[in-house]
Amino acid sequence: MIGARREGLALRLQGIRKSYGHVVAADGIDLEVREGEFFTLLGPSGSGKTTLLRLIAGFERPDSGRIELGGRDVTTLPPNVRETNTVFQDYALFPHMSVAENIGYGLKVKGIPRSRRRERVGRALKMVRLEGLENRRPNQLSGGQRQRVALARAVVNEPEVLLLDEPLGALDLKLRQEMQIELKNIQKEVGITFVYVTHDQEEALTMSDRMAVMASGRIQQVGPPIEVYERPVNEFVAGFIGISNVLDRDGWRLVIRPEKLILLEEDEPAEPGMSVEPGVVEQVVYVGMITRFTVRIDHGESLVAVRQNMDAPGRTQGFEGRRVRLAWSPDHAYVLERATTGEEK
Ligand code: ADP
Ligand code: MG
């Protein structure tokens, strides 16, 4: 190995810049991903997630900056000598090959002997629960099964870092949610570092050990899901991850999550120490597990509060137009930095 291995770091990006014409797709990215981590890049379409993955994989060269994998500078190395593998959304399976051949293809190219290959393919099949389907062709599989083949095909190479670009994007919601849990379990089991790209905030929250929220080629915040959700650093992050209520009070900009707001009747007392503001219910949306109330508070802002539907159905009816009060614990109102996605910075 060239150079000293930085303790516990699978990936390190320093000052990465990449432009296409005058589009700046990566605008000075610094990032460290630890070994064995499930790390997610989350951001809206066009925020630079795929570009960053392609730079890490070596399909693109940065205009400037440095990329280290396992402590080794790989900035100018081609993809085939980097310890990475990529899983794309469209899977890109070979249609004329069986499941087993698809999975074993990379090992064959590397010249791994047949018996070794069989053993490793067998293990990979078991891991993604496709035993018994090894002789099928991709077109004889469901979307979820094809996704598993794509994953097995990447993992079987035992890369240091597995790069996944919206791999569940083509699946329907139910299957996607199942695969999220499964992927996470597989990752824990094999211990490979995952760098996972998604634009789906819930997916990022569900799967990640840590996540980076991206906008306009920049990283806005890095942290574990709880931290990013509970303590967003700016308005962009607050708004992109979940519904956030923004309030301007006494020169401060505060954010409060809908589930932290308590909806009170006009004359219903609040717990001591709570902040309370009166308003009018503008809209009530029943969403099965919860009901979402939009309340225009007298101060001017429109806030969303959610209530779990624990009571008998019908309790939420007749709320529109009613005067209510919203209460929250001051601990749950976070002070925001100004967003850095706009003109400034
Ligand atoms: P994401 O994956 O977050 O949707 P991308 O990394 O694909 O974002 O794109 C980031 C920005 O760079 C977008 O504005 C996109 O149009 C631009 N871009 C990406 N790849 C190319 C390319 N090969 N040529 C020109 N512009 C590109
Ligand atoms: Mg993309």
Side-chain angles (χ1 to χ4, degrees):
M1 191 168 302
I2 306 161
R5 195 181 184 96
R6 194 170 291 268
E7 192 53 50
L9 278 192
L11 169 70
R12 185 155 190 251
L13 304 178
Q14 277 180 305
I16 297 294
R17 282 177 198 283
K18 177 75 184 174
S19 299
Y20 300 102
H22 36 241
V23 175
V24 185
D27 191 5
I29 302 269
D30 296 308
L31 190 64
E32 292 187 345
V33 177
R34 299 169 197 144
E35 268 175 23
E37 206 169 22
F38 196 122
F39 192 93
T40 301
L41 301 170
L42 171 70
S45 175
S47 57
K49 307 179 296 294
T50 295
T51 300
L52 205 53
L53 270 204
R54 291 176 58 81
L55 287 162
I56 298 166
F59 301 126
E60 304 275 355
R61 285 265 182 95
D63 301 333
S64 60
R66 181 183 161 99
I67 301 171
E68 281 176 25
L69 284 166
R72 175 178 175 225
D73 183 357
V74 299
T75 315
T76 59
L77 297 184
N80 59 328
V81 298
R82 298 193 186 191
E83 296 288 306
T84 56
N85 265 112
T86 309
V87 179
F88 300 98
Q89 184 184 323
D90 60 10
Y91 316 146
L93 299 179
F94 301 117
H96 58 288
M97 288 186 193
S98 70
V99 166
E101 286 164 346
N102 262 286
I103 297 173
Y105 182 75
L107 301 178
K108 193 170 171 181
V109 169
K110 278 195 207 157
I112 310 267
R114 180 186 293 263
S115 61
R116 242 339 253 134
R117 229 155 61 206
R118 277 181 63 115
E119 183 194 315
R120 280 169 70 174
V121 170
R123 252 190 289 144
L125 276 165
K126 192 166 168 204
M127 183 189 70
V128 298
R129 298 204 267 115
L130 283 178
E131 298 144 297
L133 300 183
E134 45 268 62
N135 295 320
R136 293 232 189 135
R137 298 278 156 108
N139 66 4
Q140 297 170 311
L141 299 173
S142 70
Q145 288 167 337
R146 280 203 289 274
Q147 211 288 322
R148 285 163 210 263
V149 177
L151 180 66
R153 190 177 55 173
V155 170
V156 79
N157 296 311
E158 295 166 6
E160 292 258 355
V161 178
L162 187 61
L163 307 169
L164 303 101
D165 196 354
E166 315 229 11
L168 307 182
L171 307 179
D172 62 53
L173 180 64
K174 196 95 200 265
L175 187 54
R176 203 158 78 221
Q177 288 171 337
E178 279 170 31
M179 287 297 295
Q180 286 168 7
I181 304 295
E182 199 168 320
L183 252 175
K184 170 96 191 175
N185 287 338
I186 289 171
Q187 188 269 340
K188 263 195 252 162
E189 200 178 305
V190 297
I192 296 173
T193 307
F194 275 31
V195 178
Y196 188 96
V197 160
T198 184
H199 64 272
D200 180 335
Q201 32 134 337
E202 202 173 301
E203 192 159 294
L205 294 173
T206 304
M207 303 176 84
S208 319
D209 293 320
R210 286 191 310 145
M211 57 202 273
V213 182
M214 292 185 66
S216 318
R218 295 190 199 131
I219 290 178
Q220 304 293 316
Q221 184 169 4
V222 179
I226 290 181
E227 196 178 297
V228 175
Y229 182 80
E230 300 278 344
R231 298 194 174 266
V233 296
N234 63 35
E235 212 167 321
F236 174 82
V237 175
F240 190 68
I241 302 184
I243 301 170
S244 63
N245 296 305
V246 178
L247 292 172
D248 287 311
R249 292 291 181 278
D250 312 322
W252 297 100
R253 177 151 285 190
L254 306 172
V255 64
I256 310 169
R257 296 297 188 184
E259 69 276 15
K260 305 288 204 287
L261 286 175
I262 299 162
L263 188 70
L264 301 170
E265 306 278 351
E266 203 177 8
D267 52 3
E268 197 178 338
E271 303 262 326
M274 302 284 270
S275 302
V276 183
E277 299 216 8
V280 175
V281 176
E282 281 187 327
Q283 195 186 44
V284 181
V285 182
Y286 174 80
V287 209
M289 203 188 319
I290 56 157
T291 297
R292 219 163 24 225
F293 297 85
T294 307
V295 177
R296 168 79 56 188
I297 52 178
D298 294 350
H299 197 274
E301 291 100 342
S302 207
L303 303 186
V304 175
V306 297
R307 223 190 223 183
Q308 259 193 297
N309 291 327
M310 294 169 76
D311 331 308
R315 260 229 48 191
T316 57
Q317 264 146 43
F319 254 84
E320 263 159 44
R322 199 190 283 195
R323 282 201 67 79
V324 292
R325 300 196 305 155
L326 288 177
W328 65 89
S329 158
D331 295 348
H332 290 150
Y334 300 117
V335 177
L336 288 180
E337 280 174 25
R338 308 263 303 287
T340 52
T341 53
E343 323 70 58
E344 43 196 329
K345 199 176 172 183

